[in-house]
Amino acid sequence: MARVIVHATVTLDGFMADADGGIDWMFDVPAAPEDEVVVRRVMDEIGAVVGGANRTQTIEDGEVPYGGMLKVPVFLMTRSAHEPVERDGITYTFVVDDIEQAVESAKAAAGDKWVSLLGGSISRQCLERGLVDELHLDIVPILLGGGISLFAGLGQRIDLERLETSAFAGETHLRYRVLSPEGSGRAGIPSTA
């Protein structure tokens, strides 16, 4: 069964992009080979992606999830119907206003692999609906002081269980299981830490 994860690189103050949506700061941090191993391990497990579509429902160069390094199906939330787009060996399927359908379609496509949720709005919507199994956060040692927050506006408490922590030259990697309100593991997924 596919596991649904929020996988994001964020600053120490919790921003995933600057105020204009820029992420250039991500590339200013030196990474150790161990950092790359942690991130690669997560990426190797991803079988599908759910994100948000741009207003024109096109796939621009800077909008390709994981820079095109993953050749997995991508499901994009949108407000109006659009035919799937094929680009560089990746199929982008547009899902109209139904985040649960997008996640279910991504899980079916991912098989036993993981579904990665991209973007703050998508991640918050899925957390609010109880659709997220784990958080995988790569935290860089930068304080932006403002920008686009990953979790701002969530509007509810969500308890987490730490599964794994590692820190190397440039990043701290955190992995948490999302707990149900009763404090038990989500969907019976055992820890693999």
Side-chain angles (χ1 to χ4, degrees):
M1 180 168 89
R3 191 175 301 188
V4 178
I5 68 167
V6 173
H7 183 224
T9 299
V10 295
T11 62
L12 190 58
D13 50 355
F15 296 105
M16 58 182 207
D18 65 24
D20 297 323
I23 59 170
D24 291 344
W25 52 267
M26 282 187 199
F27 308 107
D28 293 338
V29 179
E34 295 89 351
D35 289 317
E36 294 171 13
V37 168
V38 171
V39 173
R40 179 86 265 168
R41 190 174 68 213
V42 172
M43 289 178 57
D44 286 346
E45 289 297 324
I46 295 173
V49 171
V50 175
N54 65 25
R55 286 184 172 82
T56 59
Q57 296 176 322
T58 56
I59 312 303
E60 304 299 326
D61 287 337
E63 300 171 335
V64 176
Y66 294 98
M69 292 186 293
L70 291 179
K71 302 296 185 193
V72 299
V74 177
F75 297 83
L76 297 174
M77 294 303 304
T78 186
R79 299 243 181 255
S80 60
H82 192 285
E83 290 298 313
V85 171
E86 177 87 23
R87 179 176 172 180
D88 298 327
I90 301 171
T91 300
Y92 297 85
T93 302
F94 297 87
V95 181
V96 179
D97 292 330
D98 190 341
I99 192 74
E100 292 181 23
Q101 177 193 343
V103 170
E104 285 306 311
S105 296
K107 285 171 74 172
D112 290 335
K113 292 197 156 221
W114 298 348
V115 172
S116 178
L117 304 174
L118 297 181
S121 177
I122 297 296
S123 297
R124 288 187 301 273
Q125 289 177 60
C126 289
L127 281 164
E128 289 167 352
R129 289 168 174 78
L131 302 174
V132 179
D133 297 303
E134 292 183 7
L135 306 179
H136 293 248
L137 304 176
D138 303 313
I139 302 174
V140 296
I142 295 174
L143 298 171
L144 281 182
I148 300 171
S149 172
L150 181 58
F151 297 118
L154 183 59
Q156 71 185 64
R157 174 182 166 162
I158 296 179
D159 293 330
L160 306 171
E161 174 189 8
R162 185 176 53 83
L163 297 176
E164 188 176 341
T165 303
S166 60
F168 305 103
E171 299 177 10
T172 299
H173 309 279
L174 304 173
R175 182 173 159 227
Y176 294 97
R177 179 191 341 241
V178 176
L179 300 178
S180 68
E182 297 81 33
S184 60
R186 294 205 9 88
I189 295 175
S191 170
T192 57

